[in-house]
């Protein structure tokens, strides 16, 4: 394949556009707005935002960039459903974590060559990667971009 660099550039452009969409949406929300459910009896906007932050944070070691910055978010935003725990991080704590995690990801992305993206990610063994080379870092970028888009759609519906 001679176009790997083009594919990576396109993947990064789509990621960046989705992050910018999310930044724009979340920046408009007040501390009261983030407590709104996306639908009656469903997750609150704060939970979605924290969930996305936790998933993006988990990308850092998965892509070999660095250790996680906020592993404590997993208990609240990944392992348990919304409203099942007391002491959920505040609007401002989630905002700060979101900004720091995504800035750190982007710094790492900028340092990666197209061939780095085709390397295995840390959750796949060398043996399994030999069997299926599509289990690479670029696949993580694509799947997490799709995940972000999905939850952004939910968040937009929650604001209507």
């Amino acid at each position: 394949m001679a176009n790997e660099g083009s594919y990576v550039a396109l993947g990064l452009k789509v990621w960046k556009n989705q992050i910018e969409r999310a930044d724009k949406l979340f920046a408009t929300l007040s501390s009261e707005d983030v407590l709104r459910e996306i639908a009656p009896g469903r997750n609150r906007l704060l939970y979605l935002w924290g969930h996305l932050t936790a998933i993006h944070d988990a990308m850092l070691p998965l892509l070999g960039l660095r250790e996680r910055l906020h592993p404590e978010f997993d208990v609240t935003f990944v392992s348990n459903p919304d409203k099942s725990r007391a002491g959920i991080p505040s609007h401002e704590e989630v905002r700060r974590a979101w900004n720091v995690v995504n800035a750190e990801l982007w710094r790492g992305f900028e340092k990666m060559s197209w061939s780095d993206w085709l390397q295995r990610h840390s959750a796949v063994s060398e043996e399994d990667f030999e069997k299926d080379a599509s289990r690479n870092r670029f696949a993580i970028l694509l799947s997490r971009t799709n995940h972000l888009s999905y939850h952004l759609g939910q968040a937009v519906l929650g604001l209507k």
Side-chain angles (χ1 to χ4, degrees):
M1 287 195 342
N3 295 320
E4 294 94 342
S6 299
Y7 299 139
V8 169
L10 179 59
L12 290 171
K13 181 177 181 178
V14 174
W15 168 268
K16 189 170 188 170
N17 286 340
Q18 292 303 317
I19 292 293
E20 288 171 356
R21 274 186 65 215
D23 286 345
K24 194 177 295 185
L25 181 136
F26 293 133
T28 66
L29 302 177
S30 69
S31 294
E32 294 78 35
D33 290 336
V34 297
L35 297 178
R36 290 174 52 185
E37 295 176 333
I38 60 169
R42 305 302 287 191
N43 293 332
R44 294 172 295 173
L45 291 165
L46 181 63
Y47 183 86
L48 284 180
W49 196 8
H51 173 75
L52 288 168
T53 303
I55 297 301
H56 293 185
D57 187 43
M59 289 173 66
L60 292 165
L62 199 56
L63 298 175
L65 300 175
R66 62 164 294 149
E67 292 301 312
R68 295 187 64 180
L69 298 168
H70 295 282
E72 72 279 5
F73 272 35
D74 282 4
V75 172
T76 304
F77 297 118
V78 179
S79 304
N80 292 291
D82 191 12
K83 298 175 239 164
S84 66
R85 299 183 50 82
I88 189 168
S90 72
H91 177 203
E92 281 308 312
E93 289 172 306
V94 173
R95 178 188 312 279
R96 276 192 300 277
W98 168 263
N99 289 331
V100 169
V101 165
N102 286 304
E104 190 68 21
L105 275 172
W106 191 255
R107 276 192 291 279
F109 292 171
E110 289 181 316
K111 293 176 185 172
M112 293 172 69
S113 69
W114 68 264
S115 60
D116 291 334
W117 286 103
L118 300 179
Q119 301 302 310
R120 72 178 179 91
H121 59 75
S122 67
V124 66
S125 69
E126 289 184 30
E127 298 80 26
D128 287 342
F129 186 67
E130 284 181 29
K131 294 175 193 171
D132 184 3
S134 70
R135 296 180 69 186
N136 58 41
R137 293 171 180 174
F138 189 61
I140 297 297
L141 177 70
L142 295 179
S143 68
R144 297 315 185 269
T145 302
N146 188 49
H147 179 255
L148 172 59
S149 298
Y150 174 78
H151 285 309
L152 276 177
Q154 288 181 314
V156 168
L157 287 175
L159 294 173
K160 293 189 180 217

